[in-house]
Amino acid sequence: MVVKKKVTKRKKPVSRKKTPRILRQKNPIALNEFKKIFLGIAILVSLCLTLAMIADIFLQPQGTKKETVQKASEQTTIEPIQEGIQNEIIKKIPAKGLKEKVQKPNAQKGISQNPVSKEPAMGKPIEYEVFKDVDQTAIKKPVPPIKDRIPKIAIIIDDIGYDRKTAIALSELHPDITFSVLPFAPYGKSLSERLHKKGAQLMLHLPMEPVEYPSVDPGPGAILSHMPPDVLLGQLKKAIQNIPYIIGVNNHMGSRLTMQANKMNQIFTILKKEDLFFIDSRTAPKSACKASARLLQIKFAQRDVFLDNIQETKYITGQFKVLLKLAKKHGFAIGIGHPYPTTLETLVKEIPKLKNKITIVRASELTSVLR
């Protein structure tokens, strides 16, 4: 019994003393290795963060952050108009700077749609395309051969696909108002279906690169100048397929791209194949669209007047009168507007005054193959 007690007492101390000695011998090596690995990882992470910061500083376009903040704060306006029409303007998706515009202060206050709560809030109205340095000179046209013929005007409403109620209300003003729909817009397809059922003529409002790109982005489906032909034509075909019932095209922005004859030639080859006409919105002072249309022999026309660069009833009324004056002088004229409540309000008042004086026709009626 005595021997057993001694054996047990000796074994326990031996096992307890040996283990710490082994660990003490091995731990310094393992600890040093761990420190080296940790230090290497820390250096690598620091290097990656530094490179990311440098890339952000040098590669980000100037004004991008400022543009993003401004566009995120853009709000839309709902204004009551004649006969109690209440227009709900849906917040237009920024789409990375959807418009190239210079918006003058709006004298009319309205209610905007808050993109978070979706509750009405005071703010600025939607700003559709209002072009900077746009060519506003009158287009030289031949004097109409029959002076007693009633002049014709075409009214094209661009940027369809975001505001459903205003678009439908505009279509009810006159059956021959033409609507140009943005590809890949939230309500582009559904609005095209509704407008087509009402008998309206539809066009594709094709986004094209502006001079200010990339600080100003024309939005989804845009045709850009750096695109190789296969990419450009592929993008164009997708945009055409996205909007049903279109019979023509006009450019959304495009102050840079429409000056490049080779790009317009590529675009017009597809339009010719699809039997689509083209109306130049004239956002560039040296547009190559007319020459390309003559070369490819597609039906073509040009915008004469932008109606609503300033959203004031007085201004829009004045622009509408300019449109009528040009139509009387040359036999026809094309005006482009946007689905603003103020534009709708003005047209509600002005269109009835045209009876037996000037005829509103569809945009396609004023296009022709150039000789």
Side-chain angles (χ1 to χ4, degrees):
M1 294 299 290
V2 176
V3 175
K4 289 180 180 179
K5 289 180 180 179
K6 287 181 179 180
V7 170
T8 54
K9 287 180 180 179
R10 288 176 183 172
K11 284 182 179 180
K12 289 179 181 178
V14 169
S15 62
R16 288 176 183 173
K17 290 178 181 179
K18 286 182 178 180
T19 303
R21 288 175 184 172
I22 294 170
L23 290 173
R24 286 190 194 111
Q25 291 174 358
K26 292 184 178 180
N27 274 347
I29 298 172
L31 185 60
N32 288 335
E33 292 296 327
F34 178 76
K35 286 180 178 179
K36 291 178 181 178
I37 294 171
F38 180 78
L39 182 61
I41 293 173
I43 292 171
L44 183 61
V45 171
S46 299
L47 182 61
C48 291
L49 289 173
T50 303
L51 291 173
M53 291 174 66
I54 293 171
D56 184 65
I57 292 170
F58 288 99
L59 297 181
Q60 185 175 9
Q62 292 182 356
T64 300
K65 293 182 179 179
K66 188 175 180 180
E67 289 271 339
T68 303
V69 173
Q70 290 175 348
K71 288 164 189 171
S73 64
E74 283 185 357
Q75 297 173 315
T76 63
T77 301
I78 302 172
E79 296 182 353
I81 65 168
Q82 183 175 326
E83 298 180 356
I85 298 175
Q86 185 71 25
N87 295 285
E88 176 190 2
I89 299 298
I90 302 167
K91 171 80 169 60
K92 189 163 189 176
I93 297 173
K96 298 180 181 178
L98 194 58
K99 300 296 170 187
E100 56 177 315
K101 58 201 171 188
V102 176
Q103 181 62 39
K104 294 186 179 180
N106 186 4
Q108 300 178 355
K109 292 183 179 179
I111 301 175
S112 68
Q113 191 77 12
N114 188 307
V116 178
S117 64
K118 295 185 180 179
E119 293 295 329
M122 297 303 294
K124 295 170 66 178
I126 279 182
E127 294 181 16
Y128 294 104
E129 58 189 354
V130 179
F131 300 101
K132 186 188 298 184
D133 301 326
V134 68
D135 183 8
Q136 295 284 16
T137 57
I139 300 173
K140 292 182 179 180
K141 299 179 182 179
V143 177
I146 304 175
K147 293 185 178 181
D148 60 350
R149 178 182 296 174
I150 296 179
K152 299 176 182 179
I153 61 168
I155 300 174
I156 301 172
I157 304 297
D158 280 353
D159 294 334
I160 297 299
Y162 290 87
D163 175 13
R164 293 173 290 187
K165 288 191 175 181
T166 304
I168 297 302
L170 282 163
S171 71
E172 292 172 351
L173 291 182
H174 197 282
D176 291 326
I177 291 177
T178 304
F179 295 88
S180 194
V181 188
L182 284 164
F184 314 108
Y187 308 114
K189 286 185 178 181
S190 60
L191 271 172
S192 296
E193 293 285 351
R194 290 189 64 181
L195 292 169
H196 177 71
K197 287 179 181 179
K198 293 174 71 66
Q201 185 171 93
L202 299 175
M203 297 170 57
L204 172 66
H205 198 35
L206 182 64
M208 295 185 185
E209 182 179 340
V211 171
E212 297 87 352
Y213 184 83
S215 62
V216 175
D217 191 331
I223 306 298
L224 304 176
S225 59
H226 70 265
M227 289 179 171
D230 56 337
V231 176
L232 184 149
L233 297 180
Q235 188 82 306
L236 174 59
K237 290 175 183 177
K238 288 178 183 177
I240 291 172
Q241 293 169 2
N242 185 253
I243 305 300
Y245 309 117
I246 60 170
I247 65 169
V249 178
N250 73 329
N251 54 296
H252 168 65
M253 304 171 68
S255 53
R256 174 175 291 156
L257 194 84
T258 55
M259 290 192 293
Q260 300 182 21
N262 61 328
K263 298 298 181 183
M264 296 313 302
N265 290 345
Q266 293 169 21
I267 291 170
F268 286 178
T269 57
I270 298 299
L271 300 192
K272 185 178 180 68
K273 183 179 179 181
E274 298 292 334
D275 194 24
L276 299 171
F277 64 80
F278 185 83
I279 293 180
D280 185 2
S281 299
R282 291 177 62 216
T283 59
K286 296 181 180 179
S287 172
C289 295
K290 186 174 182 179
S292 293
R294 180 180 283 110
L295 178 67
L296 273 298
Q297 289 291 283
I298 70 169
K299 289 184 177 180
F300 178 80
Q302 299 176 90
R303 181 271 310 164
D304 292 287
V305 178
F306 275 123
L307 298 174
D308 50 11
N309 282 5
I310 300 173
Q311 286 120 71
E312 296 176 359
T313 302
K314 184 177 180 181
Y315 175 83
I316 299 171
T317 301
Q319 291 296 95
F320 193 74
K321 289 179 179 179
V322 171
L323 179 67
L324 302 185
K325 185 178 179 180
L326 291 173
K328 290 175 182 178
K329 181 178 179 180
H330 301 293
F332 65 92
I334 297 174
I336 291 180
H338 303 83
Y340 289 116
T342 314
T343 303
L344 174 57
E345 182 180 0
T346 304
L347 293 180
V348 164
K349 297 175 182 177
E350 297 300 321
I351 286 178
K353 299 177 183 178
L354 303 180
K355 191 174 182 180
N356 299 325
K357 297 178 182 178
I358 289 183
T359 303
I360 297 177
V361 298
R362 301 185 175 206
S364 60
E365 190 170 332
L366 301 185
T367 63
S368 61
V369 176
L370 302 175
R371 303 299 178 187

